[in-house]
Amino acid sequence: MATSTETPSKAAGFNWPMDPDAYKRVIFGTTLASAAGGTIMASAGVLRRQPAFDVGVQGARSGLLTAFGFFSIREYFLIPALRLSNIQQEKPQTPQLSENVLASALAGGLGGGAWNTYLRGPRGGVNGAITAVIVCTSLQLISNKLHIARIRFVASRSASPDEPAAAPEPPKPGLLTRSKAWLGSLNPVRKIPDEEYLQTLSKRKDYVDGRLKEVRAELEEVEGLLAG
């Protein structure tokens, strides 16, 4: 009796864990860096009495090339590679301060090191890589902090539909009302309730009746002395 066992194997397709919105971040970051570079260099040109337009165009072009290389390396290669090696998790549901910090530092180090090596040689490449790592890490942390603060602000402004609406605060008294209240506190004549007024009259009546009885008793004593 012959038996045969089959062990079918199916090659799993390789999945490069790249964010579908990676190209949006590349376009946004490149545009922002290009605009910032052009504005900064044009302003510096005005202060140095140089042609602002020409200097601004050069700054915008440098910012565009630098940012495009940085964001492309980070979004298309480093972030997926870090996720694939389980060094960086998938994009969290809630923003975190450490999000993309390692990828930005590596992208800045690679880009800054390569550019400075091309300009100044190997020694300049090391210094450029260190400087780029520090700058890119700091900017990424600042960006994450601002993003978290914006989300918290929007969340605090939006009220949940299950929560009851807060009761409106009573209107503050006007200047005339506060003035009357202050003058009333200085007035010696105080308005009293009816019950308190009746109690006061009853006490005064009892006091007067008692005094009348004492006066009558004294008159009777005097009349008795005079008759005797």
Side-chain angles (χ1 to χ4, degrees), residues 35-224:
T39 303
I40 293 173
M41 293 304 296
S43 301
V46 171
L47 295 176
R48 297 175 181 177
R49 296 181 179 180
Q50 297 176 350
F53 180 78
D54 296 339
V55 176
V57 170
Q58 293 178 2
R61 184 178 59 184
S62 299
L64 186 146
L65 295 175
T66 303
F68 181 77
F70 169 81
F71 285 105
S72 297
I73 293 173
R74 192 189 75 168
E75 297 295 332
Y76 295 142
F77 298 101
L78 289 177
I79 291 180
L82 292 175
R83 290 176 178 175
L84 194 64
S85 59
N86 294 327
I87 297 177
Q88 178 172 318
Q89 298 178 353
E90 296 292 333
K91 187 175 182 180
Q93 297 294 331
T94 57
Q96 298 178 0
L97 186 61
S98 60
E99 184 177 357
N100 293 334
V101 172
L102 179 58
S104 296
L106 292 176
L110 291 174
W115 182 249
N116 278 271
T117 299
Y118 172 75
L119 293 178
R120 301 180 179 87
R123 292 185 178 180
V126 175
N127 295 331
I130 295 174
T131 303
V133 166
I134 295 174
V135 172
C136 293
T137 301
S138 302
L139 291 176
Q140 185 63 55
L141 288 172
I142 294 173
S143 176
N144 292 347
K145 190 68 175 178
L146 293 176
H147 184 54
I148 293 173
R150 183 182 66 85
I151 290 179
R152 289 179 178 175
F153 176 76
V154 173
S156 63
R157 297 280 293 182
S158 60
S160 175
D162 298 333
E163 296 179 356
E169 297 182 357
K172 296 182 179 180
L175 179 61
L176 182 61
T177 304
R178 295 197 302 268
S179 300
K180 288 182 178 180
W182 181 72
L183 292 175
S185 64
L186 299 178
N187 191 359
V189 180
R190 183 174 61 91
K191 185 177 179 180
I192 61 176
D194 294 339
E195 295 180 357
E196 185 178 352
Y197 179 69
L198 292 175
Q199 292 178 358
T200 303
L201 291 179
S202 177
K203 292 180 180 179
R204 290 182 179 179
K205 181 178 178 299
D206 294 339
Y207 175 75
V208 171
D209 291 341
R211 290 294 299 166
L212 288 175
K213 288 181 181 180
E214 293 178 359
V215 171
R216 288 174 184 172
E218 292 178 356
L219 290 175
E220 290 177 359
E221 291 181 359
V222 172
E223 290 177 356

